[in-house]
Amino acid sequence: MNRDTLWGALWMAVAACCFVTMGVAARELHLSGMNTPNIMVWRSGFGLILTTVLILLTGHISQFRTQQKRGHLVRNSVHFVGQFSWFYALGYLPLVLVTSLNATVPLWGAIFALLYLKEQVTLQRAVVIALAFAGVLIVLRPGAMEIHHAAFVALIGAMGYAGAAILAKELTQQDSAMTVVFWMMLLQLPMAFSLAIWDWTWPAWTLSDAFCIIIIGSTGVLAHFAMATGLKKADISIAMPVTY
């Protein structure tokens, strides 16, 4: 394993920790009565403010600009589906089940990388993909019990995350990781608000709610910065399994 691949794996491990923390906070907001689009508005809003402040503090103003606006729009449309599905599933299923189903992201990422990025198919990677599919069947146990519709939504979320990771890897060939995160927050805020406006609910503004909103926004920024950095340094099929 070369140096870049090792650093890529470490950055992906940081992203995985952030996603788990974000999931716990989102689950708490669901339990307090906030719906999925509202959670996504606060996540993108706080994340946009935080990202803007970080770029201004570092003085890298060029990170606000990109020559890949269309690419960012496509990537964030795919990611928005994944994010919405994941948050939605957290409102209906136990956190451990959603986390287990979300662990299939590396599976879909490896498949998309083989089909879209034309990464090399090795016997080792093929075996890992087959074992991952077996893991999905073990978690869902089709035929042994009734499967909640949110479980399928969670799998759609995993596919969305994997697709967004593939597109993020392409974007980082020209843009920095911070630029990818900034445009994600900027584009997904109006997307989320367009859904939330139909059933808007203000947070209770308890200390717990405020803390969870801050956690979701900050871990969203760090997770995607770490993921974009990790994917820039390592192949998808190597970097993504680290999140498992």
Side-chain angles (χ1 to χ4, degrees):
M1 182 180 292
N2 61 42
R3 185 181 181 87
D4 279 349
T5 300
L6 177 59
W7 276 108
L10 291 174
W11 276 112
M12 293 302 291
V14 172
C17 293
C18 290
F19 282 128
V20 171
T21 305
M22 189 193 309
V24 174
R27 176 74 174 171
E28 288 299 312
L29 289 176
H30 270 299
L31 294 176
S32 70
M34 192 178 295
N35 62 30
T36 299
N38 280 249
I39 293 174
M40 295 182 71
V41 167
W42 292 107
R43 173 252 187 195
S44 295
F46 185 87
L48 180 60
I49 293 171
L50 179 58
T51 307
T52 301
V53 170
L54 289 174
I55 292 176
L56 292 175
L57 287 177
T58 56
H60 298 152
I61 308 300
S62 61
Q63 292 181 324
F64 287 126
R65 297 189 295 271
T66 180
Q67 300 298 319
Q68 305 181 93
K69 292 185 177 64
R70 182 177 179 180
H72 283 282
L73 179 60
V74 172
R75 187 255 172 182
N76 282 290
S77 297
V78 173
H79 181 265
F80 186 82
V81 173
Q83 184 85 84
F84 182 93
S85 300
W86 186 55
F87 280 150
Y88 178 89
L90 285 169
Y92 290 91
L93 301 174
L95 179 61
V96 64
L97 179 56
V98 177
T99 301
S100 298
L101 294 174
N102 198 60
T104 62
V105 169
L107 161 65
W108 306 115
I111 293 174
F112 295 159
L114 297 176
L115 297 176
Y116 185 68
L117 296 180
K118 308 300 182 183
E119 290 190 359
Q120 184 180 2
V121 182
T122 64
L123 177 61
Q124 182 181 19
R125 294 181 184 184
V127 170
V128 169
I129 290 173
L131 291 174
F133 267 120
V136 173
L137 295 178
I138 291 173
V139 170
L140 294 179
R141 288 183 290 170
M145 64 178 186
E146 182 178 355
I147 302 176
H148 197 285
H149 75 278
F152 293 107
V153 175
L155 284 176
I156 292 173
M159 293 179 198
Y161 276 136
I166 297 288
L167 296 170
K169 185 173 180 63
E170 284 198 321
L171 291 172
T172 54
Q173 292 178 5
Q174 296 184 35
D175 291 339
S176 70
M178 188 59 77
T179 299
V180 171
V181 177
F182 172 77
W183 280 90
M184 179 183 72
M185 300 300 177
L186 182 65
L187 292 172
Q188 290 194 24
L189 180 57
M191 291 180 187
F193 189 73
S194 67
L195 297 179
I197 193 65
W198 301 103
D199 187 21
W200 182 262
T201 53
W202 288 99
W205 292 123
T206 61
L207 184 60
S208 175
D209 278 2
F211 180 71
C212 286
I213 288 173
I214 292 172
I215 289 296
I216 286 178
S218 56
T219 54
V221 171
L222 179 55
H224 286 278
F225 177 85
M227 185 174 72
T229 303
L231 293 174
K232 187 172 185 176
K233 293 181 177 295
D235 284 352
I236 288 277
S237 53
I238 294 176
M240 292 300 290
V242 177
T243 63
Y244 185 79

